[in-house]
């Protein structure tokens, strides 16, 4: 099954209405996204917890890396540059951090709060090569703005 971004948008709006706690929002979004698409092998957030440091947040799937500096990996690149990182083949990304050996492709998006400040990144891994495209980037960006206001 493939994610229907319009349907998930409505579901997330309903589930998160009136909620302002960032961790609760992340947990709800990670759960909904992870179970909406067979391509999503690991779905979760890394939170900015101190300058230039991401720490694991709410997620679905196997274990993730606990700490990722902005200077390392795909998640670090998304946090550092503020740009979506879309990898068809994680092995082609020099410095990729392999939290799970099954990961073949990945999409990572910066997450901003309503004030525009970076609060973390959304990381989705797939065990399929080339699993994500620009339609996923656009759909996920829309959901992040809707949920976190950034």
């Amino acid at each position: 099954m493939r994610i229907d971004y319009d349907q998930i948008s409505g579901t997330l709006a309903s589930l998160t209405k009136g909620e302002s706690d960032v961790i609760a929002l992340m947990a709800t979004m990670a759960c909904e996204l992870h179970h909406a698409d067979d391509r999503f092998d690991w779905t979760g957030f890394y939170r900015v917890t101190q300058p230039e440091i991401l720490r694991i947040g709410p997620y679905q799937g196997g274990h993730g890396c606990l700490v990722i500096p902005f200077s390392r990996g795909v998640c670090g690149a998304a946090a550092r540059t503020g740009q979506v990182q879309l990898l068809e083949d994680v092995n082609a990304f020099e410095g990729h951090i392999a939290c799970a050996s099954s990961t073949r492709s990945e999409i990572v998006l910066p997450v901003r709060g309503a004030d525009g400040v970076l609060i973390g990144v959304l990381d989705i891994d797939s065990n399929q090569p080339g699993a994500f495209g620009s339609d996923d980037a656009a759909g996920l960006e829309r959901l992040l703005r809707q949920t976190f206001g950034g």
Side-chain angles (χ1 to χ4, degrees):
M1 94 190 122
R2 285 236 174 195
I3 191 167
D4 178 334
Y5 288 106
D6 291 331
Q7 181 182 12
I8 291 291
S9 174
T11 301
L12 282 172
S14 172
L15 290 170
T16 62
K17 184 176 182 176
E19 183 57 64
S20 61
D21 182 83
V22 172
I23 301 297
L25 294 170
M26 287 178 173
T28 302
M29 186 176 217
C31 181
E32 288 302 312
L33 290 175
H34 189 73
H35 295 286
D37 197 311
D38 293 336
R39 298 172 297 163
F40 298 2
D41 198 45
W42 193 96
T43 311
F45 290 88
Y46 284 94
R47 302 169 298 114
V48 177
T49 58
Q50 62 192 78
E52 307 287 311
I53 296 291
L54 297 166
R55 288 196 195 288
I56 198 160
Y59 69 92
Q60 299 277 312
H63 293 288
C65 299
L66 297 182
V67 178
I68 300 176
F70 280 26
S71 61
R72 295 197 55 225
V74 183
C75 290
R80 186 175 63 252
T81 66
Q83 301 294 315
V84 173
Q85 303 294 305
L86 183 59
L87 280 81
E88 291 186 11
D89 176 3
V90 295
N91 295 318
F93 186 91
E94 188 169 333
H96 175 258
I97 301 169
C99 296
S101 62
S102 61
T103 301
R104 296 291 174 255
S105 59
E106 183 171 8
I107 186 169
V108 182
L109 301 95
V111 181
R112 298 189 180 283
D115 58 3
V117 173
L118 183 73
I119 58 174
V121 298
L122 170 62
D123 179 15
I124 303 176
D125 298 347
S126 179
N127 58 9
Q128 304 168 26
F132 308 109
S134 58
D135 57 326
D136 295 301
L140 291 165
E141 283 180 312
R142 183 170 53 103
L143 293 175
L144 289 170
R145 280 192 307 275
Q146 170 188 314
T147 305
F148 298 97

